[in-house]
């Protein structure tokens, strides 16, 4: 059995009285990609945003249950939320680079976390951009605004930005849904590279994407996990009728 | 009548109203400038006023106006931005914050003469600051502070949530996120709003008559020790500002060239307020360009 990077136990999310996620328990293996699929409004994004406590920002949103990371329940009261977010990076649906230079977009995180040495920061910037397959395109314009990059480049910059703070895992919330097919292919390639080191959890609407990039897939329906298994099994021989209906495009 | 005809008439009426407003504004500005500009000279801008004789200037008043503006801004900018950050980022949305917001709204639209009387009672008499720049600055703070709070709050609320989330998702604290990511994005809005608010302070008269006073002591512009009674920098001296001077000259001036002085001073005031407004727009646009893409 592979090493478990993060494990959610009986996780429920409520917006006021409305239950968006109900009693979800999932284990995420280290150095692998897990895809969360399901129709719109099934709670997969909400679940993802609970894992790094991003839902804390939303008023009226209550997350109950446990999230275990290395023998610690990071959903317990009194957890240092800021510290755990460094360990669990996030890439959003729409590319959201800071209104800063490309260099500053990357250096901002590490500098906050204590890297003050200019040379060391330069190294981190180069390494992160290289790993996000963006170095060649940006090395001559590091100090130009990141907002002048194309959408696909911006999204890779956001990925570079999150690996620059050395997380253990990266949550991706439909990272390619706002991009064109070529940029999407690049992001998928990048995900396959990054899984050698990180535990990646990706929410996607694109079934083919889930099939291409992930080892395991969880199918969400109305706030619950219907089925969670290896991606191969899910796409060829699912246990449940709902899963096979969704994957074969009969609804959703 | 046919719908098309009605449409044409409506369009005409609105164009007419707009033209009327523009015309009114232009003639007002033109009148003040045409009457006043001819009287503006270096001597007029730098020399002290005369009570009885001709040839008085507005030097001390001009200086007082600028100095009072700086004093007020020193008080209001840090407090206003701090409170704005609190209201936008820290305050929980409940009845209490709703009430604070209401108070802020009411305060900023207070009649300035009331603020002046309040200043007279509280700052001048009760705290015994006397007729002084300091009392004047505090009175101006009463309606400038709420404005600053609102400007900052709106500036921060205008920052896309995705920017904030991006920073927090890197494991960065709330305060650093506000300081390093949100404030730079909100800066053009805050800057523009601040300068516009400054323009309002610059033209304020009613709130200052009973607080900063209507007289200006002999100032020694070679003495820059803020603790000295004749020093221009002393914040505890009475100080008549340009706007108050215009009012005073018009209502009780006895020098023979009173109308010219009033006209000249008005033109100076209007020109400075215009400079503030245009400057705010240009600076805001420049900073916006600088912080977003095209550099």
């Amino acid at each position: 059995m592979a090493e478990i990077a993060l494990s959610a136990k009986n996780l429920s999310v409520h917006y006021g009285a409305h239950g968006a996620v109900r009693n979800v328990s999932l284990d995420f293996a280290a150095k692998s990609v897990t895809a969360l699929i399901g129709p719109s409004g099934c709670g997969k994004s909400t679940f993802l945003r609970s894992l790094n406590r991003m839902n804390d920002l939303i008023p009226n949103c209550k997350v109950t249950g446990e999230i275990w990371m290395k023998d610690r329940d990071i959903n317990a009261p009194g957890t240092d939320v800021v510290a755990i977010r460094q360990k669990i990076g996030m890439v959003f649906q729409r590319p959201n680079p800071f209104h800063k230079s490309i260099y500053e977009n990357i250096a901002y995180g590490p500098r906050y976390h204590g890297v003050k040495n200019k040379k060391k920061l330069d190294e981190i910037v180069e390494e992160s951009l290289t790993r996000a397959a963006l170095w060649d395109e940006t090395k001559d314009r590091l100090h130009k605004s990141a907002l002048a990059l194309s959408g696909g480049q911006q999204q890779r910059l956001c990925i570079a930005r999150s690996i620059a703070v050395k997380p253990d895992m990266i949550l991706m919330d439909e990272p390619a849904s706002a991009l064109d097919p070529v940029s999407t292919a690049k992001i998928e390639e990048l995900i396959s590279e990054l899984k050698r080191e990180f535990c990646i959890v990706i929410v996607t609407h694109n079934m083919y994407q889930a099939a291409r990039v992930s080892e395991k897939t969880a199918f969400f329906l109305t706030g619950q996990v219907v089925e969670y298994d290896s991606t191969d099994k899910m796409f060829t021989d699912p246990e449940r009728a709902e899963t096979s209906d969704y994957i074969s495009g009969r609804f959703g | 009548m046919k719908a098309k005809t009605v449409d044409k008439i409506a369009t005409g009426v609105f164009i007419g109203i707009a033209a009327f407003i523009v015309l009114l504004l232009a003639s007002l500005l033109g009148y003040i400038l045409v009457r006043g500009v001819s009287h503006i000279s270096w001597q007029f801008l730098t020399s002290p006023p005369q009570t009885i004789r001709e040839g008085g200037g507005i030097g001390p008043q001009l200086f007082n106006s600028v100095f009072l503006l700086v004093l007020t801004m020193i008080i209001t900018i840090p407090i206003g931005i701090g409170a704005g950050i609190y209201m936008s980022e820290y305050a929980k949305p409940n009845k209490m914050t709703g009430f604070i917001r209401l108070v802020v709204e009411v305060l900023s639209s207070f009649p300035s003469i009331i603020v002046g009387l309040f200043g007279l009672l509280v700052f001048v008499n009760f705290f015994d600051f006397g007729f002084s720049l300091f009392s004047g600055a505090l009175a101006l703070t009463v309606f400038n502070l709420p404005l600053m709070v609102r400007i900052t709050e709106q500036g921060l609320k205008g920052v896309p949530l995705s920017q904030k989330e991006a920073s927090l998702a890197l494991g960065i604290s709330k305060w650093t996120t506000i300081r390093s990511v949100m404030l730079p994005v909100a800066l053009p809005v805050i800057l523009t709003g601040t300068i516009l608010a400054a323009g309002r302070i610059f033209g304020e008269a009613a709130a200052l008559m009973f607080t900063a006073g209507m007289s200006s002591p002999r100032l020694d512009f070679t003495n820059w020790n803020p603790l000295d009674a004749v020093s221009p920098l002393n914040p505890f001296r009475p100080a008549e500002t340009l706007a108050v001077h215009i009012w005073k000259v018009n209502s009780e001036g006895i020098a023979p060239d009173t109308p010219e002085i009033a006209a000249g001073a008005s033109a100076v005031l209007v020109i400075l307020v215009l400079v503030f407004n245009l400057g705010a727009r240009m600076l805001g646009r420049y900073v916006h360009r600088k912080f977003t893409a095209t550099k």
Side-chain angles (χ1 to χ4, degrees):
Chain A
M1 177 89 191
E3 187 197 342
I4 300 297
L6 190 96
S7 155
K9 286 203 164 49
N10 297 319
L11 203 72
S12 296
V13 185
H14 289 267
Y15 294 114
H18 170 71
V21 174
R22 285 172 294 150
N23 271 322
V24 170
S25 300
L26 288 177
D27 291 342
F28 301 107
K31 298 182 185 179
S32 78
V33 181
T34 306
L36 309 181
I37 61 169
S40 297
C42 68
K44 57 195 189 304
S45 281
T46 302
F47 173 76
L48 189 81
R49 289 172 56 93
S50 300
L51 298 180
N52 66 342
R53 301 281 300 267
M54 219 53 184
N55 279 339
D56 290 17
L57 297 182
I58 297 168
N60 289 327
C61 181
K62 197 165 159 37
V63 181
T64 51
E66 298 166 4
I67 303 168
W68 289 90
M69 189 185 192
K70 288 188 188 141
D71 311 321
R72 256 178 63 212
D73 176 11
I74 59 172
N75 199 37
T79 305
D80 181 354
V81 179
V82 172
I84 65 139
R85 287 197 191 120
Q86 184 197 347
K87 290 285 147 209
I88 310 177
M90 188 161 213
V91 176
F92 299 83
Q93 186 170 358
R94 301 202 72 85
N96 54 353
F98 297 126
H99 297 201
K100 298 173 187 285
S101 69
I102 294 167
Y103 182 94
E104 276 305 311
N105 261 278
I106 309 285
Y108 173 63
R111 191 186 289 127
Y112 173 83
H113 293 296
V115 183
K116 303 285 180 206
N117 184 314
K118 173 86 172 66
K119 204 162 154 260
K120 189 89 184 66
L121 277 176
D122 288 349
E123 279 169 31
I124 293 177
V125 170
E126 176 168 355
E127 191 202 325
S128 307
L129 285 173
T130 306
R131 292 175 69 189
L134 198 60
W135 175 249
D136 288 335
E137 294 155 69
T138 54
K139 64 183 176 211
D140 299 323
R141 51 199 281 209
L142 286 178
H143 296 282
K144 295 264 161 60
S145 171
L147 299 186
L149 295 172
S150 75
Q153 289 173 325
Q154 288 187 2
Q155 194 63 303
R156 278 180 280 148
L157 180 69
C158 292
I159 293 174
R161 175 175 73 187
S162 59
I163 58 183
V165 297
K166 308 215 178 329
D168 295 334
M169 63 189 289
I170 304 174
L171 310 175
M172 298 188 175
D173 190 359
E174 301 186 41
S177 68
L179 305 178
D180 63 87
V182 175
S183 303
T184 302
K186 282 189 181 162
I187 298 279
E188 286 179 12
E189 214 174 289
L190 185 53
I191 291 171
S192 306
E193 273 304 308
L194 292 175
K195 76 173 176 202
R196 292 163 199 245
E197 192 175 342
F198 304 104
C199 164
I200 294 173
V201 182
I202 177 171
V203 164
T204 177
H205 260 119
N206 182 335
M207 231 76 66
Y208 298 103
Q209 185 170 68
R212 280 192 299 262
V213 300
S214 69
E215 269 77 49
K216 292 186 87 175
T217 298
F219 173 53
F220 276 68
L221 194 61
T222 59
Q224 283 173 308
V225 172
V226 173
E227 193 169 346
Y228 181 40
D229 213 322
S230 80
T231 302
D232 281 347
K233 174 115 169 55
M234 291 283 281
F235 278 83
T236 53
D237 180 27
E239 299 283 327
R240 302 279 300 261
E242 296 99 316
T243 313
S244 109
D245 285 352
Y246 180 71
I247 286 173
S248 57
R250 242 164 282 171
F251 78 99
Chain B
M1 228 185 314
K2 276 204 303 203
K4 246 185 183 166
T5 329
V6 175
D7 187 59
K8 270 187 187 144
I9 292 173
T11 312
V13 167
F14 291 129
I15 290 176
I17 292 174
F20 174 71
I21 292 172
V22 171
L23 207 70
L24 195 70
L25 204 69
S27 53
L28 204 67
L29 261 178
Y31 180 72
I32 293 171
L33 290 179
V34 165
R35 277 198 51 197
V37 167
S38 60
H39 198 70
I40 299 175
S41 64
W42 181 247
Q43 197 260 338
F44 177 68
L45 290 177
T46 52
S47 61
Q50 299 287 346
T51 323
I52 307 166
R53 273 178 298 147
E54 245 178 274
I58 53 165
Q61 282 72 22
L62 196 56
F63 177 83
N64 288 342
S65 283
V66 174
F67 188 36
L68 189 62
L69 178 67
V70 172
L71 270 183
T72 309
M73 285 307 178
I74 289 175
I75 301 173
T76 53
I77 287 178
I79 304 178
I81 290 184
I85 290 174
Y86 173 78
M87 292 298 287
S88 159
E89 298 304 313
Y90 289 90
K92 299 224 157 45
N94 54 26
K95 278 210 174 112
M96 191 60 205
T97 45
F99 181 69
I100 295 177
R101 212 162 271 134
L102 182 74
V103 169
V104 166
E105 296 279 324
V106 169
L107 260 185
S108 64
S109 56
F110 239 47
S112 51
I113 188 74
I114 310 280
V115 174
L117 288 171
F118 170 80
L120 175 69
L121 290 174
V122 177
F123 306 132
V124 177
N125 292 333
F126 184 76
F127 286 110
D128 208 16
F129 296 136
F131 288 127
S132 65
L133 279 163
F134 191 61
S135 300
L138 288 177
L140 290 178
T141 298
V142 170
F143 50 60
N144 194 49
L145 192 57
L147 220 54
M148 284 304 304
V149 174
R150 211 167 50 186
I151 290 162
T152 310
E153 191 183 351
Q154 281 171 355
L156 285 174
K157 283 260 190 280
V159 177
L161 180 66
S162 64
Q163 289 286 312
K164 184 176 166 181
E165 285 187 337
S167 178
L168 292 174
L170 291 172
I172 284 166
S173 69
K174 191 168 179 178
W175 169 232
T176 307
T177 297
I178 293 170
R179 202 189 58 213
S180 310
V181 173
M182 299 179 71
L183 277 179
V185 178
L187 194 64
V189 176
I190 297 177
L191 205 63
T192 313
T194 306
I195 299 176
L196 291 178
R200 189 184 157 190
I201 289 182
F202 204 78
E204 182 55 47
L208 293 174
M209 293 191 290
F210 310 127
T211 51
M214 288 186 274
S215 62
S216 192
R218 284 266 162 244
L219 296 179
D220 178 2
F221 278 94
T222 55
N223 182 348
W224 297 101
N225 175 6
L227 300 174
D228 215 295
V230 292
S231 162
L233 285 186
N234 183 351
F236 292 103
R237 65 181 172 84
E240 183 192 36
T241 63
L242 199 54
V244 174
H245 186 62
I246 293 170
W247 176 80
K248 203 177 94 175
V249 164
N250 254 330
S251 55
E252 49 193 57
I254 48 172
D257 57 350
T258 294
E260 285 78 32
I261 290 176
S266 305
V268 171
L269 194 64
V270 165
I271 289 170
L272 283 173
V273 171
L274 272 180
V275 167
F276 271 114
N277 279 267
L278 295 177
R281 275 157 201 266
M282 270 154 55
L283 196 65
R285 229 176 292 157
Y286 171 76
V287 173
H288 184 74
R289 261 208 316 272
K290 183 120 187 153
F291 274 112
T292 57
T294 52
K295 200 162 47 169

